[in-house]
Structure formats: structure tokens, C-alpha cells
């Protein structure tokens, strides 16, 4: 009977696992960061209701200890969390060095703790071949290991005792297929019997062209940033990780672009810098809302109405595609033309108190009313989404949201052009946003609210204490 009680308490603890949203952060791209940069990025992440950065750290990177020391010190002073995501893709990690790094940082108050174990979370990018190291590592330092080991199926990994949870990297669909949750459900199904958490990946875009790494492909973006968050709210995973905060070389950054941060294009041998002049800050605009939707299972609050708009600055047929493919042969996929994957459309999402109208004008032409392709059930408050064909139009893009003739918000977007300054198509997206009062929302929401995660973990601590009492009581008997 007692074991039944304990099981059901375990169930309760599992249920109350504090949800959290992470953003994958490339430490290599922050090589020139000073404390000011860390303050700016952590401030922007907090404003977007992100709980922690997963610090992608390769072994042997320049200045890593100084960077991590600064990052943890700033995070500590701003009440933000960080954890290590060890990148094994470039030469792996020596076991003793993993221990040294974890010992140094997991005791820092700003280090993110997994629940319900309250142990420091450590993740990886790949590194399945080093799985054997982790039994030794965990004997030397207490951590909760939640790796991304995409070379093995979740079924093969979930029951392994060294694994405390799993992350997936399947954030983009195959070619031009719609994004679905088949892969996420595989992970959840494999992990659930073991009460282990899942980190669900969410990404807005993917375009990379780097000769040094032999990478040159696009995966689907288009409506993805909107659609994937709907899937998060519906699936309710334990954790979400945004891929990424600052991976400029793969075009899926949502963080600000600082000077002296884009060295990867030269280092990676890219034919041109495809991130410069392509801000993605607007993609943070609706995060506070969807993050609360996710954490509260559908009770997000709309503070300020606003609209975010994104599109490529050249139609797919205007400039040469070079060797860029849709899908990647190196990932075992059949390839197709990139223009079959990314479509020539202007995409927009609006956060609204109630139904409103959206008009799009390109190059000063017709100012057409566009139907939303998706809107909240019942047409009330929430996120509205849609897109419109470029139709080979060029010039400035103006997206205006209004309600019964009353202005709500407007984005004056960068010009679409058929010029090809780099003689190649830039498949990256330009992103802009505006709120009701005309300001761009991304950096202006400096909320110092306690996050839901922090609240959840307090409830949990109480439950854990109850459990300990039950167990101790049982042994005493
Ligand atoms: C390491 O940091 C120093 C001081 O911030 C900087 O001058 C140097 O360029 C950095 N090294 C690399 C390889 O980025
Ligand atoms: C650990 O911290 C010490 C003291 O700050 C530092 O000297 C050492 O280089 C750090 N080692 C690692 C692996 O971070
Ligand atoms: C891990 O945590 C347990 C319980 O707090 C403690 O007894 C043990 O010494 C820790 N192990 C290491 C390697 O720090
Ligand atoms: C989900 O999408 C993938 C391709 O991205 C596809 O292979 C799979 O069949 C889809 N699942 C369902 C249930 O449609
Ligand atoms: C850091 O700055 C140096 C000097 O300007 C530059 O060469 C390097 O590419 C920068 N690093 C990154 C990661 O951008
Ligand atoms: C399009 O129409 C809206 C709503 O009537 C208006 O506010 C906006 O200024 C117009 N935009 C252009 C570019 O004409
Ligand atoms: C756009 O123009 C190009 C060449 O001028 C043409 O090949 C293509 O079919 C046009 N696309 C659309 C959607 O009209
Ligand atoms: C907000 O807009 C200003 C002026 O257009 C721009 O300099 C700034 O980078 C924008 N910030 C964000 C977060 O979009
Ligand atoms: C405009 O909206 C932003 C974002 O919510 C807010 O921080 C700012 O105070 C507002 N400004 C005015 C003048 O209302």
C-alpha cells in the first residue's frame, strides 16, 4: 500500500515538473563578448520569457573559461539561468575535461537545475559515441543528463540508466511537407514510461552556406515559427529549446546581432555574409505570449497588440541558387530546388485582443486585405497568422493591421528586390515587428516577473519533501 502511495506521489511530482523554455546559444560566436554583451542578450532573453540559455560549448574553443565566467556572473546578477550543452560534433570532449567544466559551473547559483531531481541539467549536441563516459562523469559530479543523440532512436536510449531525458533536433520538416509532431511523439512515448523529460526543439528557419563545413542547404521556414509554437502549446512537453539564439551561420538566430559577432562567415568560407542586414529580433515579439500559453496550457495574456512580418528580400527565381539545395544529401535526404521548399510569400503573425483586418501592400501597389490562414478559436484574443504571395512584386512591404477602420499596428518592411549583389540568392529571412504604440516590442518588454518555472519548482520542493517523509517513514517501519 505504501508503495502505491509512493508511486502516486511520484506521479504527482512528475506532473508538476516545472516547464521551461531554453534558447540554444553558440558560445563560439560570442568570442568577443564583454559583460555588456551578456547583459544585452540576457536582458533580451528575459524580456522574451526565455528561462535559460543552453550554452553550446565545443572543447578547446578560444577564451571559453573567461566567456563562461562572464556569462555566469552576469546571469547571476540578472536572475537568469544557464547550462552547458557540450558540442561533440567537432572532435568530441575528453571525459576529464567534461568533469572539470561541470565541477566549475554546476555549483554556480545561475546554473539551471532540472526538476524533480533538482540536479544541474547538462545537454549535448550529439556525442552518442561517448555515452560510455557518462557513468564515470556522473560518479564525479551530480548532473541530470539530457542529450541530443540523434544517431539513435528514442526507443533505444530512453531506458538507459545514464540518460535522464532526451532532446531532439528534429525541428524542421522534410522538404516542402508540413511540420508535424510525429518525431516529438516518438520521444514522448519512449520517455514517458521512465518519467524522463523531453526537450522539444523549435526553430524559425534554416539556411546555411559554408564551404569549410561542406554545408549548403535550406530547410523549411515560411510559416514554421508560428506553426511550431502551436504544436508546443498542444503537446505540452516538459521543456522547449529554441534553435537558436545566435547561430548566424544557419540563419535560425532570434537574438540581436552585435558587431564583431559574425566572424563565422569568413571562418566558414561562406560566399557572402547572409545575416548582416537581416535582423530577426521581431521573432521574439510574440514569445512572452506563446511561452505563457505553453506554461499555462492556453491562458496566455495579451499585453500589447502588435504584428511581426517576415520574408526573403529576393524572389526565388531572381538570382542564381548556386549549389544550395532544398534538403541535404549529407543528412541522407533526397534534394530538391530550394525554391520548392521556401516559397515567395510575405508571412505575418499578429497578437490581438480581438479579430482585426490585415492589409498588405508591396512596392506602393494595391493595398489588399488578406484573409488570416489561422486565428484563435472563436476569433477572440490571441495569435492570428497569414501570408500573401509576392507575385513577383518588388519594393517596400507595408503590413497594416486595423480594426473597424482604427489603426492597430504597421510594419514598414525592407524592400524586395531582384538585384543580386552577391550573384547568389540569400535564402535568409528579413524580420520586422511593431506594437500598437509604434515601438518594436522585442526589447521593450523588460519584465522582471517571477517565471512560471521558478514558481513550479517551489511547489515541487514541497512535494519532494513530502516524499522524503514518506520514504523515511517507510524505512523506519
Ligand atoms: C580572447 O579574448 C581577448 C580579450 O577579450 C580578445 O582580445 C581575443 O581576440 C579573444 N580571442 C579569440 C580567439 O577570440
Ligand atoms: C575552473 O575554474 C578555475 C578558477 O576560476 C579556473 O582557473 C579553471 O581554468 C577553470 N577550469 C575550467 C575547465 O573551466
Ligand atoms: C550527489 O548528491 C548526493 C546527494 O546530495 C551526495 O550524497 C553525493 O555526494 C553527490 N555526489 C557527488 C559526486 O557530488
Ligand atoms: C510527418 O512529417 C514527416 C516528414 O517531415 C513524414 O515523414 C511523416 O510521415 C509525417 N507524419 C505524419 C503522421 O503525417
Ligand atoms: C572577433 O573579433 C575579431 C577581430 O575583429 C574578428 O576577426 C573575429 O572574427 C571576431 N569573432 C567572431 C566570433 O565574430
Ligand atoms: C493600407 O490600408 C490601411 C488601412 O486602411 C492604411 O492604414 C495603410 O496606410 C494603407 N497602406 C498603404 C501602403 O497604402
Ligand atoms: C516571376 O518572374 C519570373 C521571370 O520574370 C518568372 O519565371 C516566374 O514564373 C514569375 N513568377 C510568378 C509567381 O509569377
Ligand atoms: C527597434 O527599432 C529600432 C529603430 O528602427 C532599431 O534600431 C532596433 O534595432 C529595433 N530593435 C528591435 C529589437 O527590433
Ligand atoms: C509602447 O509599448 C512598449 C511595449 O509594450 C512599452 O514598453 C512602452 O512603454 C510603450 N510606450 C508608450 C509610449 O506607451
Amino acid at each position: 500500500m505504501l508503495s502505491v502511495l509512493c508511486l502516486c506521489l511520484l506521479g504527482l511530482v512528475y506532473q508538476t515538473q516545472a516547464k521551461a523554455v531554453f534558447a540554444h546559444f553558440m558560445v563560439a560566436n560570442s568570442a568577443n563578448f564583454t559583460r555588456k554583451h551578456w547583459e544585452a542578450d540576457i536582458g533580451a532573453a528575459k524580456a522574451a520569457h526565455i528561462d535559460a540559455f543552453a550554452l553550446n560549448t565545443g572543447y578547446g574553443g578560444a577564451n571559453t573559461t573567461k566567456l563562461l565566467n562572464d556569462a555566469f556572473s552576469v546571469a547571476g546578477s540578472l536572475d537568469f539561468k544557464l547550462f552547458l550543452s557540450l558540442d561533440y560534433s567537432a572532435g568530441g570532449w575528453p571525459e576529464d575535461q567534461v568533469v572539470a567544466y561541470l565541477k566549475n559551473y554546476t555549483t554556480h547559483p545561475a546554473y539551471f537545475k532540472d526538476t524533480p531531481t533538482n540536479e544541474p541539467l547538462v545537454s549535448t549536441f550529439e556525442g552518442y559515441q561517448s555515452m560510455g563516459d557518462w557513468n564515470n562523469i556522473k560518479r564525479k559530479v551530480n548532473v541530470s543528463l539530457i542529450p541530443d543523440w540523434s544517431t539513435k532512436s528514442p526507443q533505444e536510449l530512453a531506458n538507459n540508466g545514464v540518460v535522464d531525458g532526451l532532446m531532439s533536433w528534429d525541428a524542421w520538416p522534410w522538404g516542402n511537407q508540413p511540420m508535424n509532431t510525429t518525431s516529438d511523439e516518438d520521444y514522448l512515448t519512449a520517455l514517458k514510461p521512465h518519467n524522463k523529460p523531453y526537450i522539444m526543439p523549435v526553430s524559425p528557419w534554416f539556411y546555411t552556406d559554408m564551404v569549410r563545413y561542406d554545408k549548403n542547404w535550406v530547410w523549411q521556414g515560411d510559416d514554421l515559427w508560428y506553426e511550431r509554437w502551436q504544436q508546443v502549446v498542444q503537446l505540452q512537453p516538459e521543456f522547449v529549446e529554441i534553435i537558436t539564439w545566435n547561430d548566424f551561420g544557419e540563419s535560425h538566430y532570434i537574438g540581436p546581432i552585435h558587431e564583431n559577432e559574425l566572424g563565422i562567415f569568413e571562418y566558414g568560407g561562406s560566399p557572402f555574409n547572409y545575416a548582416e542586414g537581416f535582423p530577426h529580433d521581431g521573432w521574439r515579439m510574440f514569445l512572452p505570449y506563446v511561452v505563457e500559453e505553453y506554461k499555462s496550457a492556453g491562458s496566455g495574456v495579451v499585453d500589447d497588440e502588435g504584428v511581426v512580418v517576415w520574408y526573403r528580400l529576393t524572389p526565388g527565381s531572381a538570382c542564381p541558387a548556386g549549389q544550395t539545395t532544398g534538403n541535404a544529401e549529407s543528412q541522407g535526404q533526397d534534394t530538391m530546388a530550394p525554391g520548392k521548399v521556401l516559397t515567395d510569400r510575405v508571412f505575418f503573425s499578429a497578437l490581438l485582443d480581438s479579430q482585426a483586418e490585415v492589409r498588405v501592400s508591396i512596392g506602393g501597389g494595391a493595398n489588399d486585405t488578406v484573409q488570416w490562414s489561422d486565428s484563435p478559436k472563436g476569433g477572440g484574443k490571441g495569435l492570428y497568422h497569414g501570408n500573401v504571395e509576392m507575385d513577383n512584386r518588388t519594393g517596400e512591404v507595408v503590413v497594416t493591421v486595423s480594426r473597424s477602420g482604427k489603426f492597430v499596428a504597421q510594419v514598414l518592411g525592407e524592400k524586395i528586390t531582384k538585384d543580386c549583389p552577391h550573384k547568389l540568392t540569400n535564402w535568409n529571412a528579413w524580420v520586422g515587428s511593431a506594437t500598437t504604440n509604434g515601438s518594436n516590442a522585442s526589447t521593450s518588454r523588460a519584465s522582471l516577473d517571477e517565471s512560471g518555472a521558478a514558481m513550479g519548482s517551489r511547489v515541487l520542493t514541497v512535494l519532494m519533501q513530502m516524499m522524503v517523509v514518506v520514504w523515511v517513514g517507510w524505512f523506519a517501519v
Side-chain angles (χ1 to χ4, degrees):
M1 213 181 99
L2 254 168
S3 64
V4 171
L5 178 58
C6 289
L7 270 180
C8 101
L9 269 169
L10 264 175
L12 215 54
V13 166
Y14 181 70
Q15 290 290 313
T16 55
Q17 173 142 29
K19 291 176 194 159
V21 175
F22 315 133
H24 199 77
F25 185 107
M26 309 298 288
V27 173
N29 285 343
S30 68
N32 295 317
F33 266 34
T34 62
R35 289 181 63 95
K36 285 254 171 301
H37 296 98
W38 288 111
E39 282 161 11
D41 277 22
I42 287 175
K46 278 188 64 124
H49 290 201
I50 289 167
D51 297 292
F53 284 148
L55 295 173
N56 176 296
T57 314
Y59 175 62
N63 289 342
T64 303
T65 300
K66 179 202 175 285
L67 290 169
L68 294 182
N69 287 350
D70 280 356
F72 275 95
S73 158
V74 171
S77 67
L78 295 180
D79 193 21
F80 188 68
K81 297 288 185 274
L82 305 169
F83 63 90
L84 296 182
S85 172
L86 303 171
D87 191 329
Y88 280 78
S89 67
W93 266 90
E95 185 186 304
D96 62 327
Q97 289 301 306
V98 173
V99 171
Y101 274 89
L102 291 176
K103 280 202 161 153
N104 258 15
Y105 296 105
T106 53
T107 51
H108 197 285
Y111 201 97
F112 184 86
K113 307 275 196 316
D114 185 14
T115 53
T117 54
N118 204 35
E119 284 187 351
L121 191 162
V122 59
S123 190
T124 72
F125 179 69
E126 303 306 345
Y128 169 74
Q129 70 282 359
S130 302
M131 179 166 91
D133 295 358
W134 284 96
N135 278 315
N136 300 329
I137 296 167
K138 287 174 104 178
R139 265 194 289 276
K140 294 177 181 143
V141 49
N142 279 326
V143 288
S144 177
L145 173 64
I146 310 190
D148 151 58
W149 284 338
S150 70
T151 51
K152 288 280 157 190
S153 72
Q155 290 77 14
E156 290 170 285
L157 296 170
N159 67 351
N160 191 306
V162 85
V163 163
D164 298 298
L166 290 171
M167 177 182 178
S168 151
W169 215 264
D170 291 342
W172 306 270
W174 189 96
N176 53 10
Q177 310 236 320
M179 186 63 188
N180 64 40
T181 54
T182 302
S183 166
D184 306 293
E185 287 165 53
D186 283 349
Y187 276 88
L188 286 165
T189 305
L191 290 162
K192 208 179 176 105
H194 308 283
N195 274 352
K196 294 179 181 177
Y198 173 51
I199 304 181
M200 178 170 169
V202 176
S203 188
W205 210 259
F206 193 110
Y207 161 49
T208 186
D209 186 352
M210 304 211 152
V211 174
R212 187 189 190 108
Y213 303 112
D214 205 14
K215 286 162 54 167
N216 191 356
W217 75 86
V218 304
W219 273 329
Q220 209 181 107
D222 288 5
D223 298 295
L224 187 63
W225 188 235
Y226 168 79
E227 284 175 353
R228 190 67 173 151
W229 276 104
Q230 305 302 305
Q231 295 174 356
V232 166
V233 173
Q234 173 224 324
L235 270 194
Q236 295 285 307
E238 289 79 7
F239 298 123
V240 172
E241 189 160 320
I242 295 165
I243 302 176
T244 57
W245 183 259
N246 65 342
D247 193 338
F248 305 106
E250 292 187 355
S251 309
H252 40 53
Y253 52 97
I254 65 159
I257 304 174
H258 304 289
E259 232 180 291
N260 249 356
E261 197 182 17
L262 298 178
I264 187 68
F265 290 104
E266 205 183 310
Y267 185 78
S270 296
F272 63 103
N273 180 331
Y274 41 84
E276 200 156 43
F278 287 72
H280 287 181
D281 302 283
W283 273 334
R284 300 198 303 277
M285 191 197 86
F286 65 60
L287 279 184
Y289 175 75
V290 285
V291 167
E292 294 323 314
E293 281 275 293
Y294 152 59
K295 288 185 175 175
S296 66
S299 319
V301 173
V302 178
D303 289 333
D304 295 294
E305 298 192 293
V307 60
V308 49
V309 177
W310 64 92
Y311 50 93
R312 289 180 289 102
L313 298 186
T314 48
S317 60
C319 309
Q323 303 298 310
T324 306
T325 55
N327 281 350
E329 214 177 315
S330 64
Q331 307 291 310
Q333 297 179 309
D334 293 335
T335 59
M336 55 175 76
K340 290 262 185 292
V341 174
L342 296 176
T343 60
D344 290 347
R345 289 161 191 267
V346 172
F347 302 90
F348 42 84
S349 291
L351 187 57
L352 299 173
D353 283 327
S354 62
Q355 173 77 39
E357 190 178 83
V358 61
R359 285 172 181 260
V360 179
S361 141
I362 300 178
N367 191 14
D368 296 324
T369 298
V370 184
Q371 296 306 313
W372 301 110
S373 60
D374 210 358
S375 54
K377 280 197 196 72
K381 63 129 184 112
L383 266 183
Y384 290 69
H385 182 77
N387 65 59
V388 65
E389 296 268 5
M390 287 180 191
D391 274 335
N392 268 339
R393 291 174 286 177
T394 56
E396 192 179 51
V397 175
V398 183
V399 178
T400 314
V401 177
S402 57
R403 185 183 289 114
S404 317
K406 252 189 94 199
F407 178 86
V408 174
Q410 183 177 65
V411 168
L412 303 175
E414 191 60 53
K415 286 190 184 66
I416 297 175
T417 156
K418 292 188 176 177
D419 294 345
C420 311
H422 306 289
K423 308 277 178 274
L424 283 173
T425 304
N426 184 343
W427 299 97
N428 192 3
W430 182 91
V431 184
S433 68
T435 52
T436 311
N437 65 19
S439 87
N440 43 11
S442 314
T443 53
S444 51
R445 287 168 188 260
S447 149
L448 294 172
D449 297 352
E450 265 192 315
S451 74
M455 305 253 299
S457 63
R458 254 197 312 281
V459 171
L460 199 72
T461 309
V462 172
L463 280 168
M464 300 260 309
Q465 282 161 358
M466 279 169 58
M467 248 182 76
V468 168
V469 169
V470 171
W471 276 104
V472 168
W474 186 46
F475 282 119
V477 170

